[in-house]
Amino acid sequence: MHGFALTKGMAFDWDGVSFRIDRMQPNGDVVLERIRDGHVVLATCDHLLSEYVQGRVSRTRPHVIASSSRTPPIYSRPLVELPARVQTETTRRWLYVQALLDSEGIVFTTTVMRPFIAEVAAKIGDAHPPSVTTLYRWYSRYRLHQDTRALVPRTDRRGCRNLKQDADILRLVSEAVEEAFASSPLATVQNVYARLAVKIEIENRQRVAAQQLKRPALRTVYRLFARVDAFERIELRTGTAAANKRLRLVRTGVTTENILERAEIDHTPLDLFVIDEKTWLPLGRPTLTVILDHFSRMPLGYHLCFGAPSTVAVMGALRHAILPKEQVAQVLPNLEIEHRWPCYGRPDVLVADNGLEFHGKDLEGVCFDLDIRIQYCPKHQPRFKGVVERYLKTINYFFAHQLPGTSFAKMHLRGEYDPQKHALLTLAEFKQVFEKWLIDVYAQQVHRTLGMTPWAKWQDGASRRTPTLPADLRDLRRRIGLVDERALRRDGIWLNGIRYSGDGLQPILNAYGEGVRVRVLSDPEDLGEIDVWAPQEQMPVTVLAIDQSYARGLTLHQNELIRARQREFGATTEDRAALERAKHELINAVQSLMSSRKQRDRRKAAMIRGISSSKPSAEISIPSLATKALDTAPRIAPEKTKDDLPVARYVSFRVKR
């Protein structure tokens, strides 16, 4: 093999500059001549060998002279990859060349070489010895490259590889391919050929008889299409984004050195139907929002609800991720969680996609207050948060698909299995089963990427970094919520149609006057109170809603529905009777939806009731203080449809005195 040696006349490249060894000194010094300009450089043998080890010195390949321009390049892949017959032929050629190298003083004449070739052929048992010219060609190639791989027969390079079709034909073929796949991603070569035939016919109408284009055969179009790169074929069928996703080289990605250094958040609909604990009817598939620690692959927190991905779900998952985890309620008595959930603390970076729920002043304000940096992925590039994407797939495939009521990932996988008929778990039961799997199964299995369990990886990171929490729980609640700005008036603060007032607002009103803009933070799952920051004040004051019987425990979504019902009848905000009447009608509507035969109605009822992982058994109740208002309200029974089950009338929901 052509190698590198510290000998006189050796040419090599050193940091991209070509040198030649002019002479070797007895003391170990080497006199080098720079080939470009003849400049002389002095180096030592040890230094050159050290540079070789570091990859900065390499042997200069000999240039093929112009007279040998037809000589094919040597085979550069390992010889074991060659077919057996090619390996046998290469060995045969090498035996002749090696015998020629071993014989000293032999000359290439016909008289001398013919007996020599016959002698070697008899020795190796070759029945078809080469001619003198052939042996000379083998010997010349070996001397030129100084590599036995130069003797490999390159029969794979035989034949013409250039396209023989006219340039106009190739242009029309390209247009036909693009039009066919633009029309249908399942287009075939026959479709392309049909379009090509029409295009050639139209083109020939504009040409004289001597310049007519000849239609290629169908087999020729097949060969032309086979020359298209795999990326371009996928791009034609499914688009550029799908081609990039399918043929993209997977790299190492982001690396982290400790826990809570990087957290990734995302949503997914679970492939599982859960049932209502009152009616035992399927509610639908809950939406899971999860935050995952990149370093340990341990989930920091999650949130379950029946609504679409929203800011409320993000806030719920973030609150659950930061707080220390409490033991989940034992709804199933025989299912105990053996390990504790050790994850808590404030992450340094929160990686999210470009969903609307991640863009807005609510999440940005919370992350600014908690010193969390938000990092958004490029559009349509989910691989930038691939850790949580893969984890959500693990939840569905290795957990949800193993439970009764699973909907599977694809509709055709169900067969005759009806997930709604087999659904058995309520949301509270599913929450316990989910945390059992998460802590005692997933966290205790060796992760292929980590080489250890996520549980052990978290403990290893926790030994080097202690998670940090806000000063107190109240401080955390003051920072995680929906942020608004309102004007302070003498009657208090109006937010979402609810009036908030209290003694804590009096000092703000005295100091800044009426109409001052204040920062307001509310909990979307309980509108009973808000936190108010005065200008230039460090700590907020808590202000209760004037009507606690209405606002306490009321969710933001429920309040929006009640207010919409009010506006429908033209009632004012101050009309207490209309407010309670709208709330009562909402209760009747929810009860009707809960008993509906339509699964989407039952899911809507669960969303209105505010059922989530934080309130698995939430329901709308009528405050006792509203009894008087309800007595004067008209009795409105919910409408019935052919798809609804029989529902109780208004009287069945009357509050007992």
Side-chain angles (χ1 to χ4, degrees), residues 172-186:
L172 294 178
V173 170
S174 177
E175 294 177 359
V177 168
E178 293 180 0
E179 292 179 6
F181 282 95
S183 176
S184 172
L186 298 179

Side-chain angles (χ1 to χ4, degrees), residues 129-174:
S131 64
V132 176
T133 304
T134 300
L135 180 57
Y136 180 77
R137 187 172 65 251
W138 294 348
Y139 177 74
S140 299
R141 290 202 63 196
Y142 175 77
R143 290 293 300 271
L144 177 65
H145 296 281
Q146 291 293 313
D147 196 332
T148 55
R149 291 177 296 181
L151 301 176
V152 175
R154 299 305 305 270
T155 56
D156 58 306
R157 296 178 54 84
R158 294 175 179 174
C160 180
R161 284 167 173 74
N162 298 326
L163 294 174
K164 298 180 181 180
Q165 299 295 325
D166 186 87
D168 292 330
I169 292 291
L170 297 179
R171 175 178 57 82
L172 294 178
V173 170
S174 177

Side-chain angles (χ1 to χ4, degrees), residues 228-236 239-240 242-245 247:
V228 179
D229 293 338
F231 181 89
E232 295 181 4
R233 290 199 297 269
I234 299 175
E235 185 180 25
L236 287 171
T240 305
N244 287 327
K245 181 179 179 181
L247 299 180

Side-chain angles (χ1 to χ4, degrees), residues 80-94:
V80 294
E81 296 185 5
L82 292 170
R85 59 179 181 81
V86 178
Q87 295 186 38
T88 303
E89 175 62 19
T90 304
T91 304
R92 169 177 169 267
R93 294 182 179 187
W94 170 240

Side-chain angles (χ1 to χ4, degrees), residues 564-601:
R565 186 67 175 175
Q566 273 187 287
R567 291 191 296 270
E568 186 177 345
F569 289 98
T572 61
T573 307
E574 292 81 4
D575 191 346
R576 175 61 184 277
L579 185 67
E580 295 295 347
R581 188 162 56 246
K583 185 173 182 179
H584 189 76
E585 291 172 358
L586 177 62
I587 296 173
N588 284 345
V590 169
Q591 295 288 354
S592 177
L593 292 173
M594 287 171 58
S595 303
S596 174
R597 292 179 180 176
K598 296 182 179 180
Q599 187 268 323
R600 69 165 179 256
D601 292 341

